[in-house]
Amino acid sequence: MPELPEVETIRQQLITALPLTIERVQFSSVADSIIKKVDRKITLTGQTIVQIHRMGKWLEMILDNDDRILSHLGMSGSWRLWQSEQAIKHAHVLFHGKNSKNNPMIFAYVDPRRFGKMYFMTSAQACEFRAKLGVDVSSSEFTIDYIAQTLRKYPARAIKAFLLDQQFFAGVGNYIACEICAHARIRPTRKAKSITLEEVTKIHAATKVVIAGQLPKGGLTFQGGYLDAFGEKGQGLESLVVFHQKICGLCQRGKIKKIVLAQRSTFYCPACQK
Ligand SMILES: [Zn+2]
C-alpha cells in the first residue's frame, strides 16, 4: 500500500509535467467506484493543473480556478505520466492534456484493486477535508510535543496501531509504523500510556530516519506491486530492518517475530524492542 514515501515520490514526478492543461478527461467503465464527485459543478476540461501538494497519503492537485482534485491511492493505485496513451490495464482516469511547451501529456490513474479514491472539490471543501487529517509526519508540525500530547488522548491504544491513525499521524502506513517502532526500540504492542518522554523523542527521531531511508529510493515496492509515475519500482526494500525480515537489521542477530495487531501484520525484534 502506498505510504508517505511512495505518494511523495509520485508527487515529485508528476510536478515535472506542470502546468498541465486538461483537454479531455477519460474514465474507464468502472471508474465510478473510485471517483466521488463531491461537487458536480466542477469541470476539469479546459482547466490547468498548476500545483500538486501532498497531505499524508493524499495528493491534492490544484487547478488554476482554485478547484481541487484529491486522490488517495488505496492499496494498489498510482498516477502515471505518459507522453502518449499506453495499453495498460486498470487505467481508470486519464487527463489528456498539454504541458507548458504544448507537448501532449497524460496523467493516468492506474489501480488494479480499485481501493483508491478521488474527489473533485472546491478549495473550501478541500480545506474542510484537510482539517480532518492529522499532522503530516514529514511536516514541521510533527514535533516531540505533538506526539506526547497525542499519545495522551488514547492511553490504552497499542503504539503501532496508534501510529497508523491518519487523524493523528498522516502519511504513516503499515510498513512505516513497524519500522518506526523498530528504530525507536519500542515493541509495537506497548500501550501509549507506557511510552516515556525519552521514548517519544525516539519515535520522533525514528520517523525521520525511516522516511529519509525511503524517499531517496523512491519508496518501497512490495506485495502491493507499487510502481511510480514512470512505471518504476521503488528501491526501499534494502532500508527495512524488521518489516517482512527474518533477522533484525539493527542488531543483526534477533529473529524477527510476526504478530497480528489490530488486523495488520506486525513485525518486531524481541532482542531490540522493549
Ligand atoms: Zn534487533
Side-chain angles (χ1 to χ4, degrees):
M1 180 171 172
E3 305 183 21
L4 188 155
E6 295 76 35
V7 180
E8 178 60 21
T9 299
I10 288 177
R11 187 191 76 83
Q12 289 175 8
Q13 292 170 334
L14 290 180
I15 59 172
T16 62
L18 298 183
L20 180 93
T21 301
I22 302 171
E23 296 184 324
R24 182 164 64 93
V25 183
Q26 189 185 342
F27 299 112
S28 76
S29 57
V30 289
D32 274 359
S33 61
I34 295 163
I35 298 175
K36 325 281 173 189
K37 287 189 177 82
V38 172
D39 193 324
R40 293 193 173 269
K41 290 193 290 289
I42 287 175
T43 43
L44 302 175
T45 308
Q47 300 296 332
T48 301
I49 302 171
V50 290
Q51 189 50 272
I52 303 174
H53 294 155
R54 185 185 52 75
M55 332 182 263
K57 295 187 226 172
W58 287 84
L59 287 171
E60 182 186 35
M61 299 182 186
I62 298 161
L63 303 174
D64 55 352
N65 68 352
D66 215 24
D67 284 343
R68 312 290 160 113
I69 300 161
L70 267 60
S71 166
H72 190 288
L73 307 178
M75 300 292 286
S76 60
S78 75
W79 282 92
R80 302 284 168 78
L81 191 53
W82 295 339
Q83 271 146 2
S84 59
E85 202 167 335
Q86 316 266 312
I88 277 187
K89 276 188 184 173
H90 312 296
H92 297 296
V93 184
L94 276 76
F95 298 149
H96 295 262
K98 292 233 168 83
N99 66 11
S100 58
K101 294 188 185 111
N102 223 23
N103 293 323
M105 197 65 78
I106 301 169
F107 279 14
Y109 180 72
V110 178
D111 191 348
R113 296 178 66 186
R114 278 190 279 133
F115 284 107
K117 289 191 216 79
M118 207 176 297
Y119 300 149
F120 302 150
M121 289 179 156
T122 63
S123 63
Q125 288 166 331
C127 197
E128 251 172 66
F129 180 87
R130 195 184 302 116
K132 290 180 202 148
L133 276 179
V135 159
D136 185 288
V137 296
S138 68
S139 75
S140 57
E141 294 161 75
F142 180 71
T143 60
I144 292 164
D145 272 355
Y146 176 78
I147 304 168
Q149 282 168 25
T150 304
L151 294 190
R152 279 199 284 273
K153 288 180 183 163
Y154 295 96
R157 269 198 196 172
I159 183 63
K160 187 244 165 179
F162 209 154
L163 288 169
L164 288 175
D165 191 334
Q166 299 302 294
Q167 280 184 67
F168 300 110
F169 303 109
V172 175
N174 200 39
Y175 90 79
I176 292 185
C178 290
E179 294 288 301
I180 291 172
C181 289
H183 283 277
R185 307 292 203 271
I186 297 169
R187 278 213 190 179
T189 47
R190 289 262 308 275
K191 292 212 181 347
K193 66 181 171 198
S194 77
I195 308 286
T196 65
L197 190 58
E198 194 193 341
E199 287 173 325
V200 168
T201 309
K202 286 183 181 168
I203 290 173
H204 184 255
T207 306
K208 291 192 185 306
V209 167
V210 172
I211 289 168
Q214 290 295 331
L215 258 187
K217 299 201 169 105
L220 176 68
T221 297
F222 212 69
Q223 287 148 340
Y226 158 82
L227 298 176
D228 67 18
F230 301 124
E232 303 286 335
K233 290 179 177 177
Q235 300 300 319
L237 212 56
E238 60 202 60
S239 303
L240 299 178
V241 293
V242 290
F243 188 73
H244 280 278
Q245 302 299 298
K246 286 194 169 67
I247 300 293
C248 171
L250 294 174
C251 67
Q252 317 291 345
R253 59 185 171 85
K255 266 195 180 169
I256 298 301
K257 203 165 172 189
K258 180 184 173 186
I259 58 169
V260 175
L261 184 63
Q263 288 116 46
R264 305 297 300 273
S265 295
T266 301
F267 300 82
Y268 71 93
C269 170
C272 291
Q273 292 171 253
K274 304 293 172 204

